[in-house]
Structure formats: C-alpha cells, structure tokens
Amino acid sequence: MPELPEVESLRRILVRTAVGRTIVSVRIGERRLRRRVTADFGGAVAGRRITKLSRRAKYLIVELDGDYVMLVHLGMSGSLTHRHDGFDAEDFDPRHDHLEFSLDDASQLVYNDPRRFGMVRLVERAALASTAELKGLGPEPLSREFNANYLAEKARGRKAAIKNLIMDQRIVAGIGNIYASEILFRAGVRPTRRAGRVTRSEIDKIAAAVPVILRAAIGSNGTTFRSYRDSRGQPGRFAARLRVYGRDGKPCYTCSTEIKNVVVGQRASFYCPKCQR
C-alpha cells in the first residue's frame, strides 16, 4: 500500500505539472471504488482549475477553484499518472483506468486501480477536516507536533507493540508497514516490544529515525514492489535502500545475522535479532 513517502512524492511531481491546469472533462470508467464515485462527480469537476496540491497522511488533496477539493487515496494498488504525448503506459492495463481527467493542455490525469481499494471523492472545502477519512488523524510525522516528548506520552503505559503504536493513524499520520519496520531497525528497537516498556532513550531514537527514513524515501520517490508508480509512471527507488523490510532469511547489512519475520498486528514485521533489542 502506498504510504506517506509515495503520496508526498506524487504530490511534489504533480505540483510542477498539474497545478494551474483546468479540467476540461471527466471520463468515468468504473464508479465502484472504495467509495462509489457519485453521479454528479464529473459535472462538478469539469471546468474547474487545479489551484493547489496538498497531502494529509496517505491522502492526496487536489484543491480546485470554487468550493470543492478532491480527496484521493491510492488504496492497495492505485496510481494517479499525468499522461501526455510520449507517456509510456505499457505498465497500466486500460481496463483499470477508472477515472480520466482531460486537462486544457491536452494531457490527462488518470486514476488507475486494479484492486479498486482506493477512492477519489469530492468534498466541500469547509468540511474537509471533519470528513470520516481525515477526522481523528494524529500529527504529521514531519511536523513540529510530532517529537520525542509527544511519542513518549503516547507510549506511556501502552501494552500494544511499539510497531503498532507508530502505525496507528490516530497517533501519527501516514506511517505504514514498510517504513515502521525501517524506522525501528534504525532505532535499534524490536517491533514486538510493548510500547510502554520502550525506554525514553529508545523513544528518542525512534522519533529521530522517523524523519530520516521518511525524507530518504521521499527523495527516492517511495518504494515499489509491484504496482506503485508515480505520476510519470515510474517506480519508486527506495526498495534498494531497505535494510530489513522484505529481507527475511537474508543477512543483516550491519551484523550479518539472519533477518527474521514475525507477525505483529496481522502485519509481517521484519527485524534483526541482534541489532534490535
């Protein structure tokens, strides 16, 4: 599933290519996404100019002139590509191009989602923060609101595994399975540890690792294992820099101990038994 780095990378690229463009028309191939695309969606969006692109957690927010914004979630397998002359769409099955926004420069923004777990939803700007998707989210992990003091307070007395804590979107918004594993490896903390038993010095290391890992992933346009592509149709490059995620049975890059895989909160969790205590 695309996480914060993938969505932020997508946002940064589209800021350069799509902001300022006007949506001329909308073609809807499939309405049955995670949230059904409403019957009035195309008419409400056509003729609107894209004024800004922002992000909240794993959601891309496409701001339009007028009273509405589009809230986009890529689900498990979605992508939002900006297609134009010369764009190579070989990796995209046209059967899964569910929404196509034709822009005033003859290019298209295309939402493709083979598994249809994502969504493209029109929301009134004034009601955005109170939507079911965004209401109750914790602070952004790259913001000043997220720091060691905040994390220590949230971890105090918690029986949940520390990995589950930092993946809890009510605690911190946007961190998913891949980057939680990498953050805890960098901090030297085993993912199965009870959050309430993680020491303050370890909390400090986790909080410090969060921006390091996320910014490095954003700089590599995220991580691609199978389906994720950025707006140019290109895969993320961070997979080559993963230290533990997906490496069970392989030697740790630091100490050569075999990387282990354990299920934490119904998620595969990768760690080094020697480097992570």
Side-chain angles (χ1 to χ4, degrees):
M1 176 184 291
E3 301 178 23
L4 184 154
E6 288 74 41
V7 180
E8 178 62 19
S9 299
L10 175 65
R11 185 197 71 81
R12 292 184 182 189
I13 298 169
L14 288 176
V15 161
R16 301 193 296 267
T17 65
V19 170
R21 301 263 64 93
T22 296
I23 299 171
V24 176
S25 62
V26 182
R27 182 188 67 80
I28 302 174
E30 176 59 79
R31 295 184 183 273
R32 295 171 300 168
L33 303 180
R34 188 172 87 195
R35 274 184 175 266
R36 187 179 181 87
V37 179
T38 59
D40 61 347
F41 180 86
V45 168
R48 297 297 180 183
R49 184 168 58 89
I50 300 172
T51 60
K52 184 179 178 181
L53 285 160
S54 53
R55 179 194 54 76
R56 181 72 170 107
K58 303 174 187 179
Y59 292 89
L60 180 70
I61 301 168
V62 183
E63 301 194 28
L64 309 173
D65 61 349
D67 298 329
Y68 290 93
V69 303
M70 287 193 293
L71 189 62
V72 181
H73 193 284
L74 300 180
M76 296 290 290
S77 60
S79 62
L80 183 66
T81 52
H82 194 177
R83 304 182 187 182
H84 44 75
D85 288 343
F87 183 93
D88 185 359
E90 284 187 359
D91 288 337
F92 300 93
D93 188 332
R95 294 176 299 176
H96 305 307
D97 287 348
H98 302 314
L99 287 94
E100 181 180 286
F101 303 89
S102 295
L103 306 183
D104 59 354
D105 63 350
S107 64
Q108 298 84 35
L109 276 178
V110 181
Y111 179 78
N112 179 288
D113 189 355
R115 300 180 70 178
R116 301 207 316 269
F117 288 162
M119 71 171 206
V120 180
R121 180 188 176 194
L122 201 60
V123 180
E124 287 190 29
R125 189 186 312 277
L128 181 62
S130 62
T131 60
E133 290 82 7
L134 303 188
K135 183 174 63 175
L137 288 176
E140 290 287 318
L142 297 178
S143 70
R144 292 182 178 179
E145 288 72 27
F146 178 79
N147 53 48
N149 289 336
Y150 169 83
L151 187 58
E153 178 185 343
K154 294 299 180 182
R156 187 175 298 118
R158 294 288 185 106
K159 294 181 179 179
I162 185 62
K163 181 167 178 278
N164 287 344
L165 185 80
I166 64 174
M167 287 180 60
D168 186 335
Q169 300 301 292
R170 298 166 298 180
I171 302 297
V172 54
I175 297 176
N177 198 30
I178 296 173
Y179 301 108
S181 293
E182 295 298 304
I183 287 164
L184 292 174
F185 174 76
R186 184 177 179 89
V189 177
R190 195 167 295 194
T192 52
R193 292 266 303 281
R194 284 189 178 187
R197 294 184 177 177
V198 177
T199 68
R200 178 52 197 253
S201 64
E202 290 171 329
I203 289 287
D204 290 345
K205 291 176 182 177
I206 293 170
V210 166
V212 173
I213 294 297
L214 295 182
R215 288 192 174 112
I218 292 168
S220 295
N221 291 338
T223 304
T224 295
F225 288 112
R226 290 181 295 275
S227 58
Y228 170 72
R229 296 291 186 275
D230 66 20
S231 72
R232 300 164 300 190
Q234 299 299 311
R237 304 184 305 276
F238 195 69
R241 299 177 61 181
L242 295 173
R243 311 299 288 180
V244 288
Y245 187 87
R247 298 193 66 249
D248 50 313
K250 298 179 180 178
C252 173
Y253 289 128
T254 301
C255 70
S256 298
T257 301
E258 184 179 289
I259 299 298
K260 300 296 184 182
N261 178 9
V262 64
V263 175
V264 179
Q266 300 181 327
R267 300 281 190 129
S269 303
F270 304 89
Y271 68 98
C272 172
K274 185 175 180 180
C275 294
Q276 294 172 259
R277 301 294 184 182

